[in-house]
Amino acid sequence: MAAPLSRPHPTDCAVHIRGLRIRLGDTEVLRGIDMHVRRGELVALIGPNGCGKTTLLRCLLGLQRIDAGEVLLLGQPPGPAVLRRIGYVPQRLQLDRSFILSVREFLALRLRATRGWFWQSRRRTDEALLAAIGEFGIGDLLDRPVAGLSGGQLQRLLITSSLLNDPELLLLDEPTAGVDTPGEASFYELIAEIHRRRHLTMILVSHDLGMVYKHASWVFALNGVICCEGRPDDVMDSDSLKQAYGLHVTSYHHHHTPKEAPIKFRAR
């Protein structure tokens, strides 16, 4: 595993975490996390189920109490002002079938220009929305009820919603949860294209190590602590990953081409 790059100053980071400790009940889930994410990077956070990945994202969103340590987002402590500059895509959104909002109404409530959609004509609302969501290919879903969307359509809606107000930092917690297998690759391609086009910072939680290898610029392997970190070429080998996954990682494919990871892994 290669040594990490020299540490940037906290105010130069999109995310700066030092000595973070979080306890849930009797279990210390995060035990002294140090993590620095440079602005503009697409960073992957990997590790087994229950290792603290979602807890870490909840901490960044101000939803989880910190027992010890320091957290800065875009140079500021978590709070309403800085959280307005952050987008979030949850692992999945559980909706009751009686949820009545349409896709149009759901998005209109999120976009600053259309929050008064109930006073505006539909034409004016749609013009503002379509200008904002054209890159996501969901214009044909505007009349659909949100509760009736497929898993893939709902996740595409959530990522669209998270980007409506041009965040500087985007947090994605297993964004392909609920997406069928054929759609996963195209969804990750969409995320990578958004990163390339908008140059925003992304932290992506994922179990798809092949996609992590292909798209991430930096990888943190987490299991209560940061087990290892570095560029995908340095971190995603059997020795480094076993630090995070223990004996529950097996190599199932091994060859190297310029476009593919030299080693792919399956977490059992």
Side-chain angles (χ1 to χ4, degrees), residues 2-212:
L5 295 173
S6 59
R7 297 298 190 191
H9 190 274
T11 57
D12 294 329
C13 293
V15 175
H16 164 84
I17 299 173
R18 176 72 72 181
L20 177 65
R21 292 182 176 272
I22 294 178
R23 181 178 292 277
L24 299 179
D26 295 330
T27 303
E28 193 173 32
V29 178
L30 298 178
R31 308 186 299 275
I33 299 294
D34 290 339
M35 183 173 170
H36 304 81
V37 177
R38 296 170 182 268
R39 292 177 189 258
E41 283 193 307
L42 197 170
V43 166
L45 188 60
I46 65 172
N49 289 331
C51 72
K53 301 185 297 294
T54 296
T55 299
L56 181 56
L57 292 193
R58 286 177 53 82
C59 169
L60 298 182
L61 292 165
L63 301 174
Q64 178 61 55
R65 183 177 67 86
I66 296 172
D67 293 302
E70 177 187 38
V71 176
L72 296 177
L73 304 175
L74 305 170
Q76 302 178 45
V82 72
L83 290 175
R84 286 194 289 268
R85 300 159 63 191
I86 297 173
Y88 172 56
V89 180
Q91 194 172 118
R92 55 171 52 88
L93 184 64
Q94 298 291 346
L95 292 174
D96 189 274
R97 286 291 175 179
S98 63
F99 186 79
I100 62 172
L101 288 185
S102 68
V103 170
R104 173 186 289 103
E105 293 160 349
F106 183 86
L107 291 173
L109 289 171
R110 290 280 299 144
L111 186 64
R112 294 189 184 101
T114 58
R115 284 178 183 165
W117 60 270
F118 40 87
W119 303 114
Q120 298 174 354
S121 69
R122 175 175 290 192
R123 178 180 176 182
R124 183 178 175 186
T125 298
D126 284 1
E127 287 174 351
L129 283 177
L130 290 172
I133 69 175
E135 65 185 302
F136 305 109
I138 65 168
D140 60 342
L141 299 178
L142 290 179
D143 291 315
R144 296 276 300 276
V146 173
L149 299 180
S150 69
Q153 290 169 336
L154 181 58
Q155 289 305 102
R156 189 173 287 263
L157 171 61
L158 292 177
I159 195 170
T160 302
S161 174
S162 73
L163 292 166
L164 282 179
N165 295 306
D166 297 318
E168 298 170 52
L169 171 64
L170 182 62
L171 309 177
L172 304 108
D173 190 1
E174 296 187 44
T176 59
V179 179
D180 58 19
T181 301
E184 287 185 4
S186 61
F187 198 86
Y188 278 112
E189 293 292 343
L190 171 65
I191 292 169
E193 179 58 28
I194 290 167
H195 176 253
R196 286 190 293 268
R197 188 162 52 238
R198 296 194 175 208
H199 307 293
L200 76 166
T201 310
M202 291 185 176
I203 298 180
L204 168 68
V205 172
S206 180
H207 288 292
D208 189 329
L209 302 187
M211 291 297 103
V212 166

